[in-house]
Amino acid sequence: MPLLVMKFGGTSVADIARIRNAAAKVKREVEAGYDVIVIVSAMAGRTNELVAWVNETSPLYDAREYDAVVSSGENVTAGLMALTLQEMDVPARSWQGWQVPLVTTAAHGAARIERIERAAIDAKFAEGMRVAVVAGFQGISPEGRITTLGRGGSDTTAVAFAAAFEAERCDIYTDVDGVYTTDPRLCDRARKLSRIGFEEMLELASLGAKVLQTRSVELAMRYNVRLQVRSSFSDEPGTLVCGEEEVMESRVVSGVAYSRDEAEVTLTSVADRPGIAAAIFGPLAEAGVNVDMIVQNISDAGHTDMTFSCPVDQVKRAEAAMLAARERGEVGFEALVADTNVAKISVVGIGMRSHAGVAARMFRALSGEGINIKVITTSEIKISVLIDRKYMELAVQALHDAFGLENAA
Ligand code: ADP
Ligand code: ASP
Ligand code: MG
């Protein structure tokens, strides 16, 4: 039988009524002749609550126990979804990650999927089960411990199942009806895109558009999964994420993304000598700090300022790593100055490959609103700037207007 993967995010399974609503969509597909693998998230807010409990119990927690706790939200919704389907006379059962098994690396809190063993689920389908409900976001390490895939990881579970089971489609049901030119919660002129290419979606996701987890887009691109984002609450057509060759419209800029919780850290008066960047960024990487943008200022009398950005909740870790490196005599600097009130705004579009002037237009739009740019980075299909967080919404809206995105489709 043809097979579909349907993933329901937290708001789509936030209570029993919503689980029933989601189950009704699944039942429709079963009646249309599909076997279905349903991937569920935890109820909205539940994972945040579990994370907070872990932090309250143990600030420097054992990541294996963190995973044991935060993976549990999905166990509840998987069981409830299977029960709801059974109540609707749809033969269904639930599976936790370890039962499948979905085997991951042992990188707790950010594990990567290594393989999905199909045999047990295939056997149940062969016996007449029509829906396998799988708890998203979780797996089992080679050591036999429960792992999680990083926040938003159920999207990745869904795409991985779609690839492993050669599904006809992977439908991601969420609380918006597709991928928009920017977050529709921030800009009421945001427009839904009927299609978006894998590469652009990958950039938007990695630059903060949390509608899909970055890793899920990577996997979809690699295995050519037909990925669709659509609403749990309407029957509107969604957005197809597909190969660039299937996207008809040619746009210079397709979207604006933002990342709210960034920090800018500057080490002042660092000796400007060969090896200094390695001496700084080596220990930061070892401490698990995700450094994003880097700027080294012009050198004055053999000394320079080194600036980098990282997630705001990693500033303390960065500070500790730098003070320890200075203590060990590996790097000298005068002061470490952290600005924890910055945000990153990015414009993304494959049209940038062939069009000049995108950066100029972006900077003009920001300066027109009196917004100061602190750091700039570019790649082939995106430009990102760091600005004061208090201007974040204004910047997103100004850039959306500057690139005429209200006319996108
Ligand atoms: P789920 O719980 O279903 O996984 P998420 O909250 O993870 O849902 O992702 C959906 C949210 O992503 C939307 O509510 C929206 O606020 C946000 N979002 C950010 N950027 C975009 C975008 N470009 N298009 C659509 N949604 C976006
Ligand atoms: N429940 C997890 C989270 O909130 C995974 C997911 O919903 O995708 O991050
Ligand atoms: Mg999500």
Side-chain angles (χ1 to χ4, degrees):
M1 248 184 256
L3 184 133
L4 283 186
V5 170
M6 302 171 75
K7 179 257 173 178
F8 294 94
T11 13
S12 310
V13 293
D15 54 36
I16 303 303
R18 291 201 176 167
I19 293 176
R20 285 201 185 112
N21 168 69
K25 286 188 181 286
V26 176
K27 183 173 179 171
R28 269 204 325 231
E29 301 292 2
V30 169
E31 286 171 348
Y34 288 100
D35 279 345
V36 182
I37 298 180
V38 173
I39 309 295
V40 286
S41 286
M43 288 179 176
R46 176 49 52 96
T47 310
N48 287 343
E49 185 181 38
L50 295 168
V51 169
W53 285 345
V54 170
N55 282 316
E56 189 183 336
T57 308
S58 172
L60 293 175
Y61 52 74
D62 173 348
R64 292 163 299 192
E65 300 305 344
Y66 167 95
D67 278 351
V69 176
V70 304
S71 62
S72 66
E74 273 72 9
N75 297 343
V76 175
T77 44
L80 290 173
M81 176 63 83
L83 286 172
T84 307
L85 287 162
Q86 288 171 4
E87 288 291 328
M88 296 177 172
D89 296 321
V90 179
R93 72 155 271 191
S94 71
W95 308 75
Q96 296 182 7
W98 67 272
Q99 292 174 302
V100 174
L102 180 153
V103 182
T104 72
T105 60
H108 287 276
R112 289 168 79 94
I113 299 174
E114 299 218 300
R115 65 175 196 282
I116 292 174
E117 289 180 20
R118 286 182 53 155
I121 289 179
D122 276 339
K124 285 289 170 195
F125 277 132
E127 284 172 21
M129 174 189 72
R130 300 300 305 281
V131 181
V133 184
V134 179
F137 177 56
Q138 52 171 266
I140 184 169
S141 72
E143 291 80 18
R145 301 295 303 257
I146 303 297
T147 54
T148 62
L149 308 178
R151 297 306 305 270
S154 296
D155 298 329
T156 302
T157 309
V159 173
F161 269 88
F165 284 81
E166 296 157 80
E168 198 173 294
R169 259 191 357 253
C170 180
D171 289 343
I172 305 288
Y173 287 86
T174 183
D175 56 1
V176 285
D177 58 6
V179 178
Y180 278 68
T181 47
T182 192
D183 188 344
R185 291 182 206 293
L186 221 73
C187 175
D188 56 13
R189 297 183 293 292
R191 293 295 302 269
K192 185 170 73 181
L193 300 169
S194 56
R195 292 173 179 228
I196 185 166
F198 285 128
E199 280 186 78
E200 287 179 324
M201 190 64 238
L202 192 57
E203 287 285 0
L204 285 174
S206 72
L207 294 166
K210 71 169 184 163
V211 61
L212 287 172
Q213 199 197 32
T214 308
R215 183 87 186 112
S216 73
V217 186
E218 266 170 29
L219 278 186
M221 185 153 110
R222 163 128 53 100
Y223 294 102
N224 213 12
V225 171
R226 252 186 132 61
L227 181 61
Q228 191 166 244
V229 177
R230 48 192 314 189
S231 168
S232 284
F233 308 115
S234 79
D235 289 322
E236 289 288 304
T239 301
L240 182 69
V241 187
C242 56
E244 252 80 42
E245 66 288 351
E246 288 187 72
V247 183
M248 297 304 175
E249 310 81 20
S250 68
R251 299 176 289 249
V252 178
V253 165
S254 290
V256 181
Y258 64 89
S259 170
R260 182 190 305 269
D261 298 312
E262 301 285 320
E264 180 191 26
V265 180
T266 301
L267 298 170
T268 65
S269 199
V270 178
D272 191 10
R273 58 167 171 83
I276 190 65
I280 293 172
F281 296 106
L284 288 173
E286 270 160 41
V289 178
N290 295 311
V291 172
D292 179 18
M293 301 165 145
I294 299 175
V295 182
Q296 182 177 345
N297 291 303
I298 200 156
S299 162
D300 181 21
H303 283 78
T304 182
D305 290 347
M306 187 78 89
T307 298
F308 63 89
S309 70
C310 68
V312 80
D313 60 2
Q314 296 182 356
V315 167
K316 288 222 159 62
R317 229 184 290 172
E319 206 166 348
M322 284 299 93
L323 293 176
R326 183 165 71 178
E327 193 72 23
R328 293 193 301 269
E330 292 166 11
V331 52
F333 57 89
E334 209 167 87
L336 182 150
V337 187
D339 181 350
T340 53
N341 290 304
V342 297
K344 181 172 66 171
I345 316 289
S346 309
V347 300
V348 171
I350 49 168
M352 281 185 214
R353 283 188 187 137
S354 48
H355 282 76
V358 175
R361 202 188 314 177
M362 178 177 189
F363 304 154
R364 250 197 321 272
L366 294 172
S367 85
E369 299 292 342
I371 299 171
N372 186 39
I373 301 171
K374 294 164 170 289
V375 182
I376 302 167
T377 57
T378 66
S379 76
E380 206 187 9
I381 66 164
K382 71 115 205 273
I383 303 169
S384 300
V385 296
L386 214 57
I387 61 168
D388 273 337
R389 189 175 304 133
K390 63 175 183 274
Y391 298 125
M392 188 181 82
E393 291 195 28
L394 179 62
V396 168
Q397 291 168 2
L399 293 173
H400 199 268
D401 291 344
F403 289 99
L405 290 175
E406 73 280 6
N407 300 316

